[in-house]
Amino acid sequence: MVLTNRQDDRGAPYGGNPGKYLLVYFGILVLAGLQFAIAYQQVNVTAALFRMFALAILEAGLMVVFFMRLGAENRPFVTWIAIVTLLVLTIMQSSWPDSYRMERDAPPNDRSPGYRTGPSQ
Amino acid sequence: MGKVFAATLIVIALASAMPIILHTWEPPADISTHGRLIDEQMSETMAEAGVAFLAAQLILAWLVWRFSNRPKNEKIQHFPGGARGLVAAAVLVVGIEVMALGIFGAKAWAAIYFTPPSANALPIQAQAGQFAFYFRYPGADGKFGPIHPEMVNEGNLNFFGLDTTHDADSKDDIVTAELAVPVNREIHLLMHSKDVGHSFFIRELRIQQDFVPGLDLAVHFTATKPGKYEILCTQLCGLGHYNMKAYLKVMSQSDFDNWLKQKAALQ
Amino acid sequence: MSQSDLTMGTHLSVPERSSPFAMPSKKLAMWLFLIADAATFATCLVAYGFLRNGSLNWPTPFKFFPTVVNTMVMTFILVTSSLTMALGVRAAKMGDQDAAYRWTMLTAAGGSIFVLLHVHEWMDLIDEGVRLSRNPWGNALFGASFFTITGLHLIHVMAGIVVLIVVGLRCRGGRCDAGDVEITGLYWHFVNLVWMFVVPLVYLLNVSK
Amino acid sequence: MHDKSAHAARHRVPPTGFIRKYIFSTDHKVIGEQYYGLALAAVFIGMVLSWIMRIHLAWPAAAIPGMQLLSKNGAPGGVLTPEYYLQLMTMHGTIMVFFVLTTAPLAGFGNYFLPIQVGAEDMPFPRLNMLSFWVTFGAFLVAIAAFFVPQGPPLSGWTAYAPLSALGEVAGPGQGTGQVLWAVSIAIFCVGQLLGTLNFISATLDMRCQGMGLMRLPLTVWAWFITACISLTAFAVLMPACILLVLDHVAGTSFFVPSNLVVNDQLQPHAGGSTLLWQHLFWFFGHPEVYIAIVPAMGIVSHVLITNMRRPLLSHKAIIYSMVAIAFLSYMVYGHHMFVSGMNPYSSIAFSLPTLAITIPSTIMVLIWIGSLYGSKLRINTASLFALGFISMFVSGGITGFFLAQPSLDIMLHATYFVVGHFHLVMAVAALFGIFAGTYFWFPKVTGRMMNETLGKVHFWFTFVGAYCIFMPFHYLGMAGNVRRYQAFVDDFMAPLMPVHKFITIAALITGAAQLIFLYNLIHSRFWGELAPQNPWEGTSLEWSIPSPPPFDNFAGKLPVVYHDPYQYDIEGATNDYVMQDSPASINSVRGEK
């Protein structure tokens, strides 16, 4: 038993040519393929991460806007969801400065080769 | 009943402010070079907070006294200026005041954490473990020997896990259970945790910093007054947490040299 | 107080019932759940990134064959299943219940292949000696974060397959509620969206070049 | 669009069997009462734990009668061991924060009154709602189970800082099974809250009756809605963090445990994790949690005050926007819990400024409440007294935030009783005052009977004065450097502060005992109280337009139509001085709101 508000879905009507979906699909596949290519570029981890992450955001954007049809939802909803999600995901990044210190400020004996390899052998 | 509430609130507000005004319970006098900034910031904040506290409580009391249980035929009046004035007051007076307090107060923090220790600061390593502090002085060579965690053995009094047979740097390291420092000399305290989180708190030095397992943090300070002060653990570390303490002894340079010699002889 | 309230004489304005987001409650609830789930995945990924970034000897053991190829295939299948899902939702919305059934089942099948490939990969890694607590290559957290993140994702996929099958069967019985297909679709797309981040972070940053 | 007759024609049949009616009920009102009952049970357990701790602190060698029955090892002969003190402290914090301050103001009152106040017959997902309660109840049982495992509950505090919480039994008694139960319980709790949140948000947005525009929602509904938006993501972060903590225990992972730790001369087999990571994840939840506890109380207090002041607030919108601002800031400030805990010192400044900025919306709210009192016709009853008490407590507790928001002062105050006094006043006592205000205010609606006003006022005076006697001295202790989480203050500078501790303990015992008056009043009035009219406080919102207690589907199959903003008091020409939200009467007097 669900008491919905019986709202009509006022999003853009369905129907018409499914070609848009195919286009998005190929777009995502291409972006994903690029991710794999970047993995084998000779760049450092940070650069690779940023490139792949940017592609992932693009893919996610395509997914959200077209497959999940966020683009067809009304403006207040899009605004609300964007603010809430981005706020949380952004603020979550504030732990990074401490991540960099993990290595820099580790006790000297932890920095020897083979350190943090698990249970002491 | 409204008047009783008002009267009670006034009594509570004044009684709450009394110990602050009379300085009944105060932190002990500062013995550090950096503590003055903290103390000044504390008094400024206390002045602001105290005024805000008393104003809010007394106005609340007065309004309840004046406007509770009025006769039926009296009219509702409106606050002059309405909400707009109050919102402006909150933003412009209280908001800016508090933000300014925080922004200018940051310099006390910066003085401690954003400035590196001077080159001739005396390095001492502090190690926290369940439930005791140990301190290590580098000895004549000025170098700390490496720590071997697998060699830590409290029964053998090898608190730091030093390997004095193999490591040349460890041989002259002096390990003590109390922290002795020369007066007016900057100390560079390297903090190492052996097991779980602990903290290093000396009220007189205006220093509190956690020991973080896996991170060797450091603080630096200069003690200006000889004496014996308590070092407390303030980060919950287990059942003996309440009993985890050590002493800071601030002494003259010559006393300190003798003390260090004595301790070295015991190693 | 709104101005319209004050000046009315005999006629009182009564706005219609409406949701500011103009969508059924179920769909809204699914979106809300997805926000929360995004935070959950983000927590795991941030934890992983935090630890990986702070570690010196993070292993990069994944070889082109079999792991990366396998990941490519899994990604392809998952993206394709998103397409079939989108088409299924479209069919359901347009009232074509049989098509909705077929597309949903196709999606579930894609998801199942994904699960099989994933489990196979897990088994291979376990055979190589990778566990939550240790692995043969270095930092012990490699196995822990790999299995935790992919495991959390795998659980989501498996739950999605179950829901897809249930919803699909309801479509075949002619009891198709297009709204249910739609919110299942939202969930499924979201799970695939998460995979877009899992692949680069967990797999591609750890390939051996 | 669907008209209201179509909507109301649904004819839900009320359940008949006892189990469907009172145990596994999908009725939001029953679920609200269940949550409230859970909070009531939890608050008394938590209070007794605090009694035990206070007695032990003031008289460390005293045997507490009956303690040995609770734990033979933890309290041999009735005297607490150091570890058992910490274990009780952990459970006090956990039970109070999660099972009282989160459940009662949001899930308890919110479930009961949100659907009524928006003019709906139930929550949009009644079954999820039922599940939400039972999941939460399960979490409670798991948490309580920690008392009965061999080594007892965990001793790492409600914040469960790693690696103490992640190393297992070796780190201390209760850190094995007890800590795992704790983490599992919290993870389950998070799931329960998520389910509740889905209902709260969709009910507010979708279930409003005809005419109920967003700005026509009572402030309570706004508060619950905003709180639900906060908890949507806050709990979603805590849950995986707890799961990772459990994995560190049972699967040998090392997310929160760094390498080379030596406990009891044994090198620990963990490697590579970070203890700061746990603190970041925990406080990312932990700070929003503070607002999850306090924002509903703000809504309830506004609602109660307005009704008893016989006038709307100076600004309805200012309160709403302030709550929204607080919700936003709640996520940006969590690092102020970690100033001295080894966090990057530059981050401290970045977290300090938004923390101070919270002063602004908080001050706006307090000024609006106080400014609205001016010229009002304040009716003094138990509910309004508690609402006034809330303002006083919120100011007292909030102002000490000026200190703790500044990293440099935190050096002196962190981990002292100053912090304990601060968060107890602003989060615990203030939220409890909100709960009390709500209870005295809505009790007639829920039960159809009035609570005893005399007993209520006696309860108020003991609680109000008592709370100040307990928590104000905490600040003085903290300023003198008295450290928290110590089971005894032996042979050190804290020994001279013992008289203050004894005073606090006596105040706590009396104040706690006074809560029995409340309990008696609650139970006695439930069965033998004076019969309540439909609208005893002359309120305007929808809950007062239906019989007391409300019928099964609230509006008897016919949803209301709302014609007015929520707080139409001080209306000239009305039969009384107010006009109900669903009254079709028109209002001609023009009053401006800025």
Side-chain angles (χ1 to χ4, degrees), chain A residues 49 89-90 92-102, chain C residues 45-54, chain D residues 280 334 344 347:
Chain A
L49 171 70
L89 297 185
T90 312
M92 211 180 267
Q93 311 310 318
S94 41
S95 56
W96 285 105
D98 284 337
S99 167
Y100 284 95
R101 294 159 72 234
M102 258 177 84
Chain C
L45 288 173
V46 165
Y48 158 75
F50 186 103
L51 295 170
R52 188 192 196 284
N53 184 42
Chain D
H280 277 290
Y334 75 88
N344 187 323
S347 306

PDB file of all heavy atoms in Angstrom, chain A residues 49 89-90 92-102, chain C residues 45-54, chain D residues 280 334 344 347:
ATOM      1  N   LEU A  49      44.364  10.165 -12.730  1.00  0.00           N
ATOM      2  CA  LEU A  49      43.150  10.201 -11.921  1.00  0.00           C
ATOM      3  C   LEU A  49      42.237  11.329 -12.372  1.00  0.00           C
ATOM      4  O   LEU A  49      41.051  11.125 -12.596  1.00  0.00           O
ATOM      5  CB  LEU A  49      43.521  10.390 -10.451  1.00  0.00           C
ATOM      6  CG  LEU A  49      42.333  10.662  -9.533  1.00  0.00           C
ATOM      7  CD1 LEU A  49      41.502   9.402  -9.400  1.00  0.00           C
ATOM      8  CD2 LEU A  49      42.775  11.126  -8.163  1.00  0.00           C
ATOM      9  N   LEU A  89      28.884  15.881  -1.424  1.00  0.00           N
ATOM     10  CA  LEU A  89      30.060  15.274  -2.051  1.00  0.00           C
ATOM     11  C   LEU A  89      31.266  16.214  -2.010  1.00  0.00           C
ATOM     12  O   LEU A  89      32.400  15.760  -1.904  1.00  0.00           O
ATOM     13  CB  LEU A  89      29.746  14.878  -3.498  1.00  0.00           C
ATOM     14  CG  LEU A  89      28.659  13.815  -3.643  1.00  0.00           C
ATOM     15  CD1 LEU A  89      28.501  13.399  -5.090  1.00  0.00           C
ATOM     16  CD2 LEU A  89      28.951  12.590  -2.782  1.00  0.00           C
ATOM     17  N   THR A  90      31.012  17.508  -2.062  1.00  0.00           N
ATOM     18  CA  THR A  90      32.130  18.451  -2.013  1.00  0.00           C
ATOM     19  C   THR A  90      32.725  18.523  -0.619  1.00  0.00           C
ATOM     20  O   THR A  90      33.932  18.450  -0.439  1.00  0.00           O
ATOM     21  CB  THR A  90      31.665  19.856  -2.443  1.00  0.00           C
ATOM     22  OG1 THR A  90      30.922  19.722  -3.635  1.00  0.00           O
ATOM     23  CG2 THR A  90      32.836  20.771  -2.643  1.00  0.00           C
ATOM     24  N   MET A  92      32.694  16.440   1.589  1.00  0.00           N
ATOM     25  CA  MET A  92      33.361  15.194   1.956  1.00  0.00           C
ATOM     26  C   MET A  92      34.840  15.207   1.571  1.00  0.00           C
ATOM     27  O   MET A  92      35.634  14.445   2.095  1.00  0.00           O
ATOM     28  CB  MET A  92      32.646  14.043   1.254  1.00  0.00           C
ATOM     29  CG  MET A  92      32.673  12.747   2.005  1.00  0.00           C
ATOM     30  SD  MET A  92      31.800  11.503   1.079  1.00  0.00           S
ATOM     31  CE  MET A  92      30.188  11.642   1.771  1.00  0.00           C
ATOM     32  N   GLN A  93      35.195  16.096   0.638  1.00  0.00           N
ATOM     33  CA  GLN A  93      36.597  16.131   0.201  1.00  0.00           C
ATOM     34  C   GLN A  93      37.501  16.836   1.203  1.00  0.00           C
ATOM     35  O   GLN A  93      38.705  16.890   1.010  1.00  0.00           O
ATOM     36  CB  GLN A  93      36.709  16.831  -1.158  1.00  0.00           C
ATOM     37  CG  GLN A  93      35.739  16.327  -2.206  1.00  0.00           C
ATOM     38  CD  GLN A  93      35.753  14.825  -2.334  1.00  0.00           C
ATOM     39  OE1 GLN A  93      36.801  14.200  -2.314  1.00  0.00           O
ATOM     40  NE2 GLN A  93      34.571  14.218  -2.432  1.00  0.00           N
ATOM     41  N   SER A  94      36.933  17.382   2.269  1.00  0.00           N
ATOM     42  CA  SER A  94      37.787  18.175   3.163  1.00  0.00           C
ATOM     43  C   SER A  94      38.723  17.321   3.994  1.00  0.00           C
ATOM     44  O   SER A  94      39.500  17.844   4.776  1.00  0.00           O
ATOM     45  CB  SER A  94      36.936  19.074   4.053  1.00  0.00           C
ATOM     46  OG  SER A  94      35.811  18.391   4.508  1.00  0.00           O
ATOM     47  N   SER A  95      38.654  16.011   3.824  1.00  0.00           N
ATOM     48  CA  SER A  95      39.595  15.183   4.576  1.00  0.00           C
ATOM     49  C   SER A  95      40.929  15.031   3.848  1.00  0.00           C
ATOM     50  O   SER A  95      41.890  14.548   4.425  1.00  0.00           O
ATOM     51  CB  SER A  95      38.987  13.806   4.823  1.00  0.00           C
ATOM     52  OG  SER A  95      38.606  13.211   3.608  1.00  0.00           O
ATOM     53  N   TRP A  96      41.003  15.468   2.595  1.00  0.00           N
ATOM     54  CA  TRP A  96      42.202  15.194   1.797  1.00  0.00           C
ATOM     55  C   TRP A  96      43.502  15.714   2.391  1.00  0.00           C
ATOM     56  O   TRP A  96      44.515  15.018   2.348  1.00  0.00           O
ATOM     57  CB  TRP A  96      42.032  15.720   0.363  1.00  0.00           C
ATOM     58  CG  TRP A  96      41.135  14.827  -0.413  1.00  0.00           C
ATOM     59  CD1 TRP A  96      39.839  15.063  -0.759  1.00  0.00           C
ATOM     60  CD2 TRP A  96      41.427  13.518  -0.899  1.00  0.00           C
ATOM     61  NE1 TRP A  96      39.311  13.987  -1.420  1.00  0.00           N
ATOM     62  CE2 TRP A  96      40.261  13.029  -1.524  1.00  0.00           C
ATOM     63  CE3 TRP A  96      42.559  12.702  -0.860  1.00  0.00           C
ATOM     64  CZ2 TRP A  96      40.207  11.766  -2.110  1.00  0.00           C
ATOM     65  CZ3 TRP A  96      42.490  11.457  -1.438  1.00  0.00           C
ATOM     66  CH2 TRP A  96      41.330  11.003  -2.053  1.00  0.00           C
ATOM     67  N   PRO A  97      43.512  16.939   2.950  1.00  0.00           N
ATOM     68  CA  PRO A  97      44.808  17.406   3.479  1.00  0.00           C
ATOM     69  C   PRO A  97      45.432  16.415   4.464  1.00  0.00           C
ATOM     70  O   PRO A  97      46.657  16.281   4.507  1.00  0.00           O
ATOM     71  CB  PRO A  97      44.438  18.727   4.175  1.00  0.00           C
ATOM     72  CG  PRO A  97      43.223  19.199   3.479  1.00  0.00           C
ATOM     73  CD  PRO A  97      42.483  17.973   3.060  1.00  0.00           C
ATOM     74  N   ASP A  98      44.589  15.733   5.223  1.00  0.00           N
ATOM     75  CA  ASP A  98      45.151  14.784   6.173  1.00  0.00           C
ATOM     76  C   ASP A  98      45.677  13.528   5.489  1.00  0.00           C
ATOM     77  O   ASP A  98      46.572  12.860   6.002  1.00  0.00           O
ATOM     78  CB  ASP A  98      44.102  14.392   7.214  1.00  0.00           C
ATOM     79  CG  ASP A  98      43.914  15.493   8.227  1.00  0.00           C
ATOM     80  OD1 ASP A  98      44.848  16.297   8.381  1.00  0.00           O
ATOM     81  OD2 ASP A  98      42.851  15.557   8.844  1.00  0.00           O
ATOM     82  N   SER A  99      45.122  13.232   4.328  1.00  0.00           N
ATOM     83  CA  SER A  99      45.608  12.068   3.602  1.00  0.00           C
ATOM     84  C   SER A  99      47.058  12.277   3.178  1.00  0.00           C
ATOM     85  O   SER A  99      47.886  11.370   3.283  1.00  0.00           O
ATOM     86  CB  SER A  99      44.728  11.833   2.377  1.00  0.00           C
ATOM     87  OG  SER A  99      45.326  10.925   1.512  1.00  0.00           O
ATOM     88  N   TYR A 100      47.349  13.514   2.741  1.00  0.00           N
ATOM     89  CA  TYR A 100      48.720  13.771   2.300  1.00  0.00           C
ATOM     90  C   TYR A 100      49.706  13.672   3.454  1.00  0.00           C
ATOM     91  O   TYR A 100      50.862  13.344   3.278  1.00  0.00           O
ATOM     92  CB  TYR A 100      48.805  15.160   1.643  1.00  0.00           C
ATOM     93  CG  TYR A 100      48.234  15.155   0.264  1.00  0.00           C
ATOM     94  CD1 TYR A 100      46.920  15.516   0.035  1.00  0.00           C
ATOM     95  CD2 TYR A 100      48.996  14.733  -0.802  1.00  0.00           C
ATOM     96  CE1 TYR A 100      46.375  15.472  -1.233  1.00  0.00           C
ATOM     97  CE2 TYR A 100      48.473  14.690  -2.075  1.00  0.00           C
ATOM     98  CZ  TYR A 100      47.165  15.056  -2.284  1.00  0.00           C
ATOM     99  OH  TYR A 100      46.644  14.997  -3.543  1.00  0.00           O
ATOM    100  N   ARG A 101      49.238  13.967   4.659  1.00  0.00           N
ATOM    101  CA  ARG A 101      50.145  13.915   5.794  1.00  0.00           C
ATOM    102  C   ARG A 101      50.417  12.492   6.245  1.00  0.00           C
ATOM    103  O   ARG A 101      51.363  12.236   6.980  1.00  0.00           O
ATOM    104  CB  ARG A 101      49.574  14.736   6.949  1.00  0.00           C
ATOM    105  CG  ARG A 101      49.507  16.198   6.619  1.00  0.00           C
ATOM    106  CD  ARG A 101      48.517  16.906   7.481  1.00  0.00           C
ATOM    107  NE  ARG A 101      48.986  17.045   8.840  1.00  0.00           N
ATOM    108  CZ  ARG A 101      48.306  16.637   9.905  1.00  0.00           C
ATOM    109  NH1 ARG A 101      47.157  16.056   9.758  1.00  0.00           N
ATOM    110  NH2 ARG A 101      48.788  16.814  11.099  1.00  0.00           N
ATOM    111  N   MET A 102      49.547  11.556   5.855  1.00  0.00           N
ATOM    112  CA  MET A 102      49.744  10.170   6.285  1.00  0.00           C
ATOM    113  C   MET A 102      51.139   9.679   5.947  1.00  0.00           C
ATOM    114  O   MET A 102      51.793   9.013   6.710  1.00  0.00           O
ATOM    115  CB  MET A 102      48.755   9.266   5.565  1.00  0.00           C
ATOM    116  CG  MET A 102      47.570   8.850   6.359  1.00  0.00           C
ATOM    117  SD  MET A 102      46.506   7.868   5.319  1.00  0.00           S
ATOM    118  CE  MET A 102      47.263   6.264   5.475  1.00  0.00           C
TER     119      MET A 102
ATOM    120  N   LEU C  45      34.499   5.426  -1.409  1.00  0.00           N
ATOM    121  CA  LEU C  45      35.528   5.804  -2.384  1.00  0.00           C
ATOM    122  C   LEU C  45      36.486   6.825  -1.787  1.00  0.00           C
ATOM    123  O   LEU C  45      37.695   6.775  -2.047  1.00  0.00           O
ATOM    124  CB  LEU C  45      34.866   6.359  -3.653  1.00  0.00           C
ATOM    125  CG  LEU C  45      34.158   5.292  -4.504  1.00  0.00           C
ATOM    126  CD1 LEU C  45      33.385   5.934  -5.632  1.00  0.00           C
ATOM    127  CD2 LEU C  45      35.151   4.278  -5.059  1.00  0.00           C
ATOM    128  N   VAL C  46      35.969   7.751  -0.972  1.00  0.00           N
ATOM    129  CA  VAL C  46      36.856   8.721  -0.329  1.00  0.00           C
ATOM    130  C   VAL C  46      37.792   8.003   0.638  1.00  0.00           C
ATOM    131  O   VAL C  46      38.995   8.281   0.690  1.00  0.00           O
ATOM    132  CB  VAL C  46      36.042   9.816   0.396  1.00  0.00           C
ATOM    133  CG1 VAL C  46      36.925  10.597   1.347  1.00  0.00           C
ATOM    134  CG2 VAL C  46      35.420  10.758  -0.612  1.00  0.00           C
ATOM    135  N   ALA C  47      37.253   7.045   1.376  1.00  0.00           N
ATOM    136  CA  ALA C  47      38.094   6.300   2.313  1.00  0.00           C
ATOM    137  C   ALA C  47      39.209   5.590   1.547  1.00  0.00           C
ATOM    138  O   ALA C  47      40.382   5.622   1.939  1.00  0.00           O
ATOM    139  CB  ALA C  47      37.254   5.296   3.086  1.00  0.00           C
ATOM    140  N   TYR C  48      38.826   4.997   0.423  1.00  0.00           N
ATOM    141  CA  TYR C  48      39.819   4.298  -0.394  1.00  0.00           C
ATOM    142  C   TYR C  48      40.860   5.267  -0.931  1.00  0.00           C
ATOM    143  O   TYR C  48      42.079   5.032  -0.823  1.00  0.00           O
ATOM    144  CB  TYR C  48      39.097   3.569  -1.531  1.00  0.00           C
ATOM    145  CG  TYR C  48      39.945   3.250  -2.730  1.00  0.00           C
ATOM    146  CD1 TYR C  48      40.874   2.212  -2.683  1.00  0.00           C
ATOM    147  CD2 TYR C  48      39.814   3.967  -3.913  1.00  0.00           C
ATOM    148  CE1 TYR C  48      41.647   1.918  -3.788  1.00  0.00           C
ATOM    149  CE2 TYR C  48      40.568   3.679  -5.016  1.00  0.00           C
ATOM    150  CZ  TYR C  48      41.493   2.658  -4.955  1.00  0.00           C
ATOM    151  OH  TYR C  48      42.255   2.375  -6.039  1.00  0.00           O
ATOM    152  N   GLY C  49      40.379   6.387  -1.478  1.00  0.00           N
ATOM    153  CA  GLY C  49      41.313   7.359  -2.026  1.00  0.00           C
ATOM    154  C   GLY C  49      42.228   7.928  -0.951  1.00  0.00           C
ATOM    155  O   GLY C  49      43.436   8.083  -1.158  1.00  0.00           O
ATOM    156  N   PHE C  50      41.662   8.212   0.188  1.00  0.00           N
ATOM    157  CA  PHE C  50      42.419   8.749   1.324  1.00  0.00           C
ATOM    158  C   PHE C  50      43.572   7.807   1.654  1.00  0.00           C
ATOM    159  O   PHE C  50      44.726   8.220   1.776  1.00  0.00           O
ATOM    160  CB  PHE C  50      41.457   8.883   2.501  1.00  0.00           C
ATOM    161  CG  PHE C  50      42.018   9.555   3.724  1.00  0.00           C
ATOM    162  CD1 PHE C  50      41.691  10.863   4.020  1.00  0.00           C
ATOM    163  CD2 PHE C  50      42.837   8.868   4.601  1.00  0.00           C
ATOM    164  CE1 PHE C  50      42.168  11.483   5.158  1.00  0.00           C
ATOM    165  CE2 PHE C  50      43.326   9.477   5.737  1.00  0.00           C
ATOM    166  CZ  PHE C  50      42.995  10.790   6.008  1.00  0.00           C
ATOM    167  N   LEU C  51      43.254   6.526   1.795  1.00  0.00           N
ATOM    168  CA  LEU C  51      44.261   5.563   2.224  1.00  0.00           C
ATOM    169  C   LEU C  51      45.270   5.286   1.120  1.00  0.00           C
ATOM    170  O   LEU C  51      46.475   5.177   1.357  1.00  0.00           O
ATOM    171  CB  LEU C  51      43.580   4.263   2.648  1.00  0.00           C
ATOM    172  CG  LEU C  51      42.681   4.420   3.877  1.00  0.00           C
ATOM    173  CD1 LEU C  51      41.862   3.177   4.111  1.00  0.00           C
ATOM    174  CD2 LEU C  51      43.504   4.744   5.109  1.00  0.00           C
ATOM    175  N   ARG C  52      44.767   5.226  -0.113  1.00  0.00           N
ATOM    176  CA  ARG C  52      45.679   4.948  -1.220  1.00  0.00           C
ATOM    177  C   ARG C  52      46.660   6.098  -1.392  1.00  0.00           C
ATOM    178  O   ARG C  52      47.860   5.904  -1.548  1.00  0.00           O
ATOM    179  CB  ARG C  52      44.872   4.771  -2.508  1.00  0.00           C
ATOM    180  CG  ARG C  52      45.702   4.289  -3.672  1.00  0.00           C
ATOM    181  CD  ARG C  52      44.910   4.428  -4.961  1.00  0.00           C
ATOM    182  NE  ARG C  52      45.487   3.663  -6.036  1.00  0.00           N
ATOM    183  CZ  ARG C  52      46.575   4.008  -6.705  1.00  0.00           C
ATOM    184  NH1 ARG C  52      47.214   5.100  -6.378  1.00  0.00           N
ATOM    185  NH2 ARG C  52      47.021   3.257  -7.698  1.00  0.00           N
ATOM    186  N   ASN C  53      46.120   7.299  -1.312  1.00  0.00           N
ATOM    187  CA  ASN C  53      46.945   8.487  -1.469  1.00  0.00           C
ATOM    188  C   ASN C  53      48.004   8.567  -0.379  1.00  0.00           C
ATOM    189  O   ASN C  53      49.116   9.040  -0.603  1.00  0.00           O
ATOM    190  CB  ASN C  53      46.025   9.714  -1.424  1.00  0.00           C
ATOM    191  CG  ASN C  53      46.772  10.991  -1.668  1.00  0.00           C
ATOM    192  OD1 ASN C  53      47.618  11.031  -2.543  1.00  0.00           O
ATOM    193  ND2 ASN C  53      46.481  12.005  -0.902  1.00  0.00           N
ATOM    194  N   GLY C  54      47.653   8.094   0.825  1.00  0.00           N
ATOM    195  CA  GLY C  54      48.582   8.213   1.928  1.00  0.00           C
ATOM    196  C   GLY C  54      49.508   7.025   2.081  1.00  0.00           C
ATOM    197  O   GLY C  54      50.232   6.934   3.067  1.00  0.00           O
TER     198      GLY C  54
ATOM    199  N   HIS D 280      37.254  11.853  10.493  1.00  0.00           N
ATOM    200  CA  HIS D 280      36.602  12.625   9.435  1.00  0.00           C
ATOM    201  C   HIS D 280      35.236  12.053   9.101  1.00  0.00           C
ATOM    202  O   HIS D 280      34.248  12.784   9.016  1.00  0.00           O
ATOM    203  CB  HIS D 280      37.471  12.622   8.171  1.00  0.00           C
ATOM    204  CG  HIS D 280      38.558  13.641   8.192  1.00  0.00           C
ATOM    205  ND1 HIS D 280      38.315  14.985   8.104  1.00  0.00           N
ATOM    206  CD2 HIS D 280      39.891  13.531   8.320  1.00  0.00           C
ATOM    207  CE1 HIS D 280      39.452  15.653   8.158  1.00  0.00           C
ATOM    208  NE2 HIS D 280      40.426  14.792   8.295  1.00  0.00           N
ATOM    209  N   TYR D 334      32.181  20.402  10.313  1.00  0.00           N
ATOM    210  CA  TYR D 334      32.395  19.263  11.199  1.00  0.00           C
ATOM    211  C   TYR D 334      33.810  19.209  11.782  1.00  0.00           C
ATOM    212  O   TYR D 334      34.018  18.661  12.857  1.00  0.00           O
ATOM    213  CB  TYR D 334      32.065  17.953  10.486  1.00  0.00           C
ATOM    214  CG  TYR D 334      33.095  17.499   9.479  1.00  0.00           C
ATOM    215  CD1 TYR D 334      34.163  16.706   9.889  1.00  0.00           C
ATOM    216  CD2 TYR D 334      33.011  17.827   8.143  1.00  0.00           C
ATOM    217  CE1 TYR D 334      35.114  16.268   8.984  1.00  0.00           C
ATOM    218  CE2 TYR D 334      33.953  17.404   7.240  1.00  0.00           C
ATOM    219  CZ  TYR D 334      35.003  16.627   7.663  1.00  0.00           C
ATOM    220  OH  TYR D 334      35.942  16.202   6.780  1.00  0.00           O
ATOM    221  N   ASN D 344      45.120  18.584  10.002  1.00  0.00           N
ATOM    222  CA  ASN D 344      45.939  19.627   9.418  1.00  0.00           C
ATOM    223  C   ASN D 344      45.579  20.983  10.025  1.00  0.00           C
ATOM    224  O   ASN D 344      44.430  21.391   9.992  1.00  0.00           O
ATOM    225  CB  ASN D 344      45.666  19.647   7.909  1.00  0.00           C
ATOM    226  CG  ASN D 344      46.584  20.573   7.180  1.00  0.00           C
ATOM    227  OD1 ASN D 344      46.916  21.642   7.691  1.00  0.00           O
ATOM    228  ND2 ASN D 344      47.003  20.180   6.006  1.00  0.00           N
ATOM    229  N   SER D 347      43.443  23.318   7.991  1.00  0.00           N
ATOM    230  CA  SER D 347      42.026  22.967   7.912  1.00  0.00           C
ATOM    231  C   SER D 347      41.266  23.553   9.084  1.00  0.00           C
ATOM    232  O   SER D 347      40.094  23.900   8.964  1.00  0.00           O
ATOM    233  CB  SER D 347      41.851  21.449   7.915  1.00  0.00           C
ATOM    234  OG  SER D 347      42.612  20.848   6.915  1.00  0.00           O
TER     235      SER D 347
END
